[in-house]
Amino acid sequence: MSGVQGTSGFSFVELLLSGGRAEQALSELDSLDEGIQSHLRAVALRAAALLKLGRREELAELAAATSHLSDEHHAILTYYDISFEVRKGRLAEALPRVSELAAGALSADLRADTWYLKGTCESGLGLYADAAHSFKQAMAHFECARKPAKLARSLIAVGVCEQQRMNFEMARLCYGRARDLSYEVGALSENAYASQNLGTCLLLLGRFRGATAEFENARAVATEIGRKNGIYSADLGLGLALLRSGRLALAEERIRAALRLATEAGDIRSRAIALEYLGEVRLGQAEFAKARNFFRKAARLGASISDPEVQFEAQYRWAEAELALGRPAKAQRLAEEAKERFTTMENLIEVATARRISAQAAMCERRWKDAREELRLSLETLQSLDERFEIERVRRLLDAAREKVPVADVRANERAAWGVSATSRSRKPVNSWLLDDAQLICGQSQTFLRFLDDVDRKARGSANVLIEGETGSGKELVARRLHSRSERSAGSFVPFNCGTTTPELFDAEVFGHLKGAFTGAANDRPGLARIAHQGTLFLDEIGEMSKETQARMLRLLDNGEVRPVGSDVIERTDLRVVAATHQDLESMIVEERFRHDLFYRLATIRLRVPPLRERIEDLDLLLRHFFAEARTSGVGNPIGISDHVLAKMSNYSWPGNIRELRNEAFRLAVAFDGQRITSWKPNGRRLASASPKSVDRDQMMALLAEAEGSVTVVSDRLGMTRPAVYRLLKKWEIPLDDFRRK
């Protein structure tokens, strides 16, 4: 029996189309009575099926057969005919036709779809401002028609346009709203796209942890709906986020997984991108010849598909590898070619990056003036775009060029440029000449000055140090100061967060591993403990370490012994361990969650970082410091702050400490750009150091009631990612609609 029973069965045909079963949808439509087949909705569904199957001739036949029907029939068939042109890439021909159609008298549904199609044409032609306007018109109609999935898709499209226009914060807001909306209505495909795009945007903003969470969500959703290209796209993004965070082994694992899937799918562009990212991994591991080979292959793949963006981005990465191999002249030529091409394409971020590499080549040849000029131009461009990851690279290089830091060989220059040690295999140590204590820590209160004196006195020697303090109080900055003021300052400062890995991966990360020791161990890795030889190993969030891992740390702390995973050989390293925690370890010892013998080995010296409320006299100085940072970053430039705002801020408890103050300063810099700050209220009540384990159902419901069901507000106050909040809501079966204002 046919699945369509009159007009009431159109929903069944729509389900077939949404499931990719266009042939069956056509069969169901053919089974209709002849009178129903000319129904407007039947004609629209048949045209949609023909579009999916690529049968334009049959669409023309359908248009001829229905030419005697209403103008609305004609408009729908014109829409699908234009869609064929767009699918074939004939955007210039399609744009005037779709513009004319959008200006006509259309039904509400068709008007929304037409505006979206018009935005697609404009976006493909690089007319991003016009495209954003068209997509917003579509949004307005989809919202009125209560079509949340299409509304989410339009939000993503607006975000893409804003990102192309370098409005990253606006893009972030669009993607975030699209992700939340699509999750709430179960539009999984749109949810995956939104998370993927949001992850990319957060990468550009230098927010690697948030990017990682979004790519993980995108991958999970793409896996659930069986969208293979979504899986490997998310793996590529996740690999890049891990790479930017310095977690090279995990990054390589994700990138290789993406490369396998993209190769199986015949996706040459994604293959090229994966090869480029693998080249970056090899750069981070100081394997420069292998990096060059990956970049060269990626550039050639990009050229084979006539994709200049992929080709020339891989080419300037290739230039970085040539630079590291001692070939500055060749590196200069490759970088200049990429810079010229990206200038033609008006891709400012890539132009700035190519300038940075050209400057590195000049530094190798001691052409300091040329290097400084290229870096100055690069930094100006990046600051105007707020591309934070690359900004930090260029700033470090510019400091080196101004000071004419001697570079004994090209590898040393690469270390200065990327912050990667020649002996490092998986982490970015901090070179002491890059440290500027005035930028890292600032304060003038007696409480804070006494604390700094204590830090400087205890920096001498090699005794292990335990730093205790609330979330956001600056524990890692204190650890860096300890390193820079110690006899080990010429060595590496190697940070590691104990709360971001499993016990098994902890061994591989800290102690190293041999090739083939476990799945994905493609090469030998020395481990962080050996990278920190004659330097400092900083273990953040030490209280998150598992009991099994705690036991394995004892031998390292006792006599510096390290046994890599898969090896029977005991090796030694000479390092100082500095650990940090916001938890009460002594209470954890009583509860048998932390080993007392490990505690006493770590806490040879103990330092307690004062929270901001205990050094509130530093508020004014810290605000000026953060406003200067906001101005330099192009976020905003307030011209003063009123006394009553300062008084109000001084009376606030600052549960998030310095980190919360910095966020508030940047928020004010945006809101009062070019103005005097005359009003302020805390951006919500934040619960310090919340984790999924520390939040109960009642607390979550209370926060939702206070935030009127806004997951964004709740996640901000808990200090969690939105996906983590959504997982808790699903676990506890808490309906968001119950908390939203009707």
Side-chain angles (χ1 to χ4, degrees), residues 23 101 220 297-298 312 393 604 655 728:
E23 284 283 8
L101 184 62
K297 288 178 183 176
F312 287 98
R393 278 182 163 181
T604 308
L728 290 176

Side-chain angles (χ1 to χ4, degrees), residues 28-251:
E28 294 293 344
L29 288 168
D30 288 339
S31 69
L32 293 172
D33 294 338
E34 187 173 338
I36 297 177
Q37 287 191 31
S38 62
H39 190 281
L40 185 63
R41 194 171 172 191
V43 170
L45 289 171
R46 183 178 295 278
L50 293 173
L51 176 64
K52 285 182 178 290
L53 294 169
R55 300 179 186 173
R56 191 172 189 181
E57 295 79 7
E58 292 184 37
L59 182 70
E61 292 173 5
L62 178 63
T66 58
S67 60
H68 62 287
L69 299 176
S70 69
D71 290 343
E72 189 70 14
H73 284 78
H74 175 71
I76 285 175
L77 293 171
T78 300
Y79 167 83
Y80 281 105
D81 189 60
I82 297 170
S83 298
F84 269 105
E85 287 192 346
V86 173
R87 178 170 289 188
K88 292 292 184 181
R90 295 195 286 267
L91 303 180
E93 294 85 350
L95 183 56
R97 292 185 64 198
V98 73
S99 299
E100 181 181 358
L101 184 62
L106 304 173
S107 66
D109 286 353
L110 183 57
R111 183 175 298 281
D113 288 334
T114 302
W115 276 110
Y116 189 92
L117 186 62
K118 182 172 182 285
T120 303
C121 291
E122 291 162 338
S123 177
L125 292 169
L127 306 172
Y128 297 114
D130 293 341
H133 171 75
S134 296
F135 289 129
K136 288 174 183 176
Q137 291 289 327
M139 280 171 53
H141 291 293
F142 287 137
E143 193 162 18
C144 289
R146 297 187 178 181
K147 294 190 174 182
K150 288 189 173 184
L151 175 58
R153 199 177 309 152
S154 300
L155 275 164
I156 295 168
V158 173
V160 170
C161 293
E162 295 298 344
Q163 186 171 316
Q164 290 292 335
R165 298 170 70 198
M166 309 302 174
N167 296 332
F168 298 126
E169 282 295 341
M170 180 60 71
R172 181 185 65 81
L173 292 172
C174 289
Y175 296 143
R177 186 182 168 201
R179 180 207 52 207
D180 293 347
L181 177 62
S182 57
Y183 178 88
E184 290 168 12
V185 300
L188 297 183
S189 181
E190 285 77 11
N191 186 255
Y193 278 125
S195 280
Q196 179 74 24
N197 282 281
L198 181 54
T200 302
C201 189
L202 291 173
L203 272 181
L204 291 169
L205 290 168
R207 303 176 190 177
F208 305 133
R209 184 178 297 180
T212 299
E214 294 303 332
F215 288 129
E216 286 174 343
N217 181 67
R219 191 184 195 284
V221 176
T223 302
E224 183 177 345
I225 62 179
R227 190 160 59 84
K228 184 179 285 189
N229 66 332
I231 296 171
Y232 63 71
S233 295
D235 272 338
L236 280 175
L238 189 56
L240 185 57
L242 292 167
L243 179 61
R244 292 288 186 259
S245 303
R247 300 163 69 185
L248 302 188
L250 292 174

Side-chain angles (χ1 to χ4, degrees), residues 446-466:
Q446 289 302 307
T447 299
F448 194 64
L449 292 177
R450 282 194 299 270
F451 170 73
L452 284 188
D453 286 342
D454 195 26
V455 170
D456 292 345
R457 279 188 287 104
K458 292 173 178 175
R460 296 186 288 273
S462 294
N464 296 330
V465 181
L466 177 64

Side-chain angles (χ1 to χ4, degrees), residues 569-610:
V569 179
I570 300 294
E571 300 184 23
R572 291 186 177 274
T573 183
D574 172 23
L575 52 77
R576 183 186 204 180
V577 175
V578 177
T581 183
H582 69 277
Q583 301 183 62
D584 184 350
L585 295 186
E586 290 171 300
S587 296
M588 292 176 67
I589 291 171
V590 174
E591 297 167 3
E592 298 184 350
R593 291 190 293 126
F594 199 86
R595 293 179 64 112
H596 64 89
D597 47 359
L598 178 59
F599 174 80
Y600 293 125
R601 285 170 173 82
L602 289 171
T604 308
I605 294 173
R606 294 176 72 174
L607 290 169
R608 176 185 173 273
V609 184

